[in-house]
Amino acid sequence: MFDIIYFLEMIGVVAFAISGMIVARSKNMDPVGVFTIGFITALGGGTLRDLMMDNHPLYWIKHQEQPILILAIAIVFSYWRRAERIRESRIVFPDAIGLGIFSILGAQLALDLGHSWFIASLLGVMTGTFGGALRDTLCNEVPFIFRKDQIYASISFAGCWLYFVCQWTMESETMALSVGLLFIVLVRMLAVRFDIRLQRDPH
């Protein structure tokens, strides 16, 4: 039977790993650095979520295919010369995909473990944003989540609540997941495209 949740997880891992590796290559990191940044970006948020919920073993330890896949991608990125020419601005799309997938799946897992909507939404935001925050911090960049010119965590938070409402009102869990995920990805991309911010600098 096709497992939509696992399929989305793997897409999220690949998307976040690629976003991390693009930044790592732009900083001229060696293959170890490329793998490390990709690994932390893809799995950092889920690791923190599992630690906060005392959910053991950690998800990526139970599913070793995820770090193995990240290692394979890191090898390609490290020795593929064209990867050096990928601009750092190109991380926006894969980062948005990772943000959407891991925010919704993190919130879903928290609900499955009996937490309230509010706590689940916070854990969803943590899952979706923490890996990217670590990526940016380690690469000497201000994380998206803390930038005045970016809407990031608030989109994740709103998407989690949209998912909860859709789950409550719709019979299809897959549809609820899809709505929440697409909302986060599309709003994040539109916010970047049209420079939408929560706060404007005074003139």
Side-chain angles (χ1 to χ4, degrees), residues 69-109:
L69 177 60
I70 294 170
L71 177 60
I73 298 171
I75 292 171
V76 172
F77 254 78
S78 295
Y79 297 102
W80 181 39
R81 291 188 176 182
R82 290 186 63 184
E84 295 178 347
R85 297 194 292 272
I86 300 176
R87 291 178 294 174
E88 194 172 333
S89 60
R90 297 294 186 185
I91 75 168
V92 172
F93 182 59
D95 185 82
I97 293 175
L99 177 67
I101 289 175
F102 283 120
S103 295
I104 299 302
L105 295 186
Q108 182 200 48
L109 177 60

Side-chain angles (χ1 to χ4, degrees), residues 30-46:
D30 67 7
V32 174
V34 171
F35 169 73
T36 300
I37 298 301
F39 180 93
I40 289 173
T41 308
L43 303 177

Side-chain angles (χ1 to χ4, degrees), residues 147-177:
R147 296 185 193 177
K148 288 179 63 177
D149 63 341
Q150 301 282 340
I151 303 179
Y152 200 70
S154 54
I155 295 175
S156 170
F157 186 76
C160 289
W161 279 89
L162 178 60
Y163 161 65
F164 299 152
V165 171
C166 289
Q167 186 188 50
W168 183 47
T169 57
M170 296 178 177
E171 294 184 0
S172 172
E173 173 69 15
T174 300
M175 183 62 69
L177 282 168

Side-chain angles (χ1 to χ4, degrees), residues 40-194:
I40 289 173
T41 308
L43 303 177
T47 297
L48 179 61
R49 176 204 64 214
D50 287 345
L51 292 173
M52 294 286 288
M53 295 193 300
D54 196 27
N55 186 33
H56 296 286
L58 300 178
Y59 192 84
W60 60 267
I61 293 177
K62 288 192 295 184
H63 296 273
Q64 66 172 345
E65 64 273 13
Q66 293 185 350
I68 290 173
L69 177 60
I70 294 170
L71 177 60
I73 298 171
I75 292 171
V76 172
F77 254 78
S78 295
Y79 297 102
W80 181 39
R81 291 188 176 182
R82 290 186 63 184
E84 295 178 347
R85 297 194 292 272
I86 300 176
R87 291 178 294 174
E88 194 172 333
S89 60
R90 297 294 186 185
I91 75 168
V92 172
F93 182 59
D95 185 82
I97 293 175
L99 177 67
I101 289 175
F102 283 120
S103 295
I104 299 302
L105 295 186
Q108 182 200 48
L109 177 60
L111 287 181
D112 291 343
L113 293 176
H115 297 289
S116 68
W117 282 13
F118 180 70
I119 296 300
S121 66
L122 294 182
L123 289 167
V125 172
M126 182 185 302
T127 307
T129 63
F130 189 72
L134 284 175
R135 172 199 65 213
D136 295 338
T137 301
L138 292 172
C139 293
N140 199 30
E141 301 281 350
V142 178
F144 284 145
I145 192 174
F146 300 133
R147 296 185 193 177
K148 288 179 63 177
D149 63 341
Q150 301 282 340
I151 303 179
Y152 200 70
S154 54
I155 295 175
S156 170
F157 186 76
C160 289
W161 279 89
L162 178 60
Y163 161 65
F164 299 152
V165 171
C166 289
Q167 186 188 50
W168 183 47
T169 57
M170 296 178 177
E171 294 184 0
S172 172
E173 173 69 15
T174 300
M175 183 62 69
L177 282 168
S178 300
V179 171
L181 167 60
L182 289 174
F183 171 85
I184 293 174
V185 174
L186 291 176
V187 174
R188 173 62 183 154
M189 295 299 296
L190 289 171
V192 173
R193 174 65 178 83
F194 296 104

